[in-house]
Amino acid sequence: MYSMYRRRRRQTLLCALCGQEITEGEEYWFCSGSSVCAGCLPDLARRELAPCREIRGREAVR
């Protein structure tokens, strides 16, 4: 007989940038609807902060 209280199986959580699995207990960031692993955090930060990027000596005229 099947139990009324079956454990729900968790779906695999994948990093949106590298595609690797984010395992139980592993740190990750959820930003703009995407889950990102610790290894991809610098890339995520670069993408998210791209509109704020400046190059010294070539600053945008505002």
Side-chain angles (χ1 to χ4, degrees), residues 53-61:
R53 182 177 176 260
E54 297 284 352
I55 297 174
R56 183 71 174 144
R58 291 192 247 163
E59 289 84 0
V61 178

Side-chain angles (χ1 to χ4, degrees), residues 13-60:
L13 182 62
L14 301 176
C15 174
L17 299 182
C18 71
Q20 293 292 317
E21 182 178 0
I22 300 170
T23 60
E24 186 76 26
E26 186 177 354
E27 186 174 55
Y28 74 98
W29 285 258
F30 186 77
C31 185
S32 301
S34 298
S35 299
V36 178
C37 71
C40 291
L41 180 60
D43 193 35
L44 172 68
R46 253 184 229 96
R47 290 177 186 205
E48 290 295 315
L49 296 173
C52 304
R53 182 177 176 260
E54 297 284 352
I55 297 174
R56 183 71 174 144
R58 291 192 247 163
E59 289 84 0

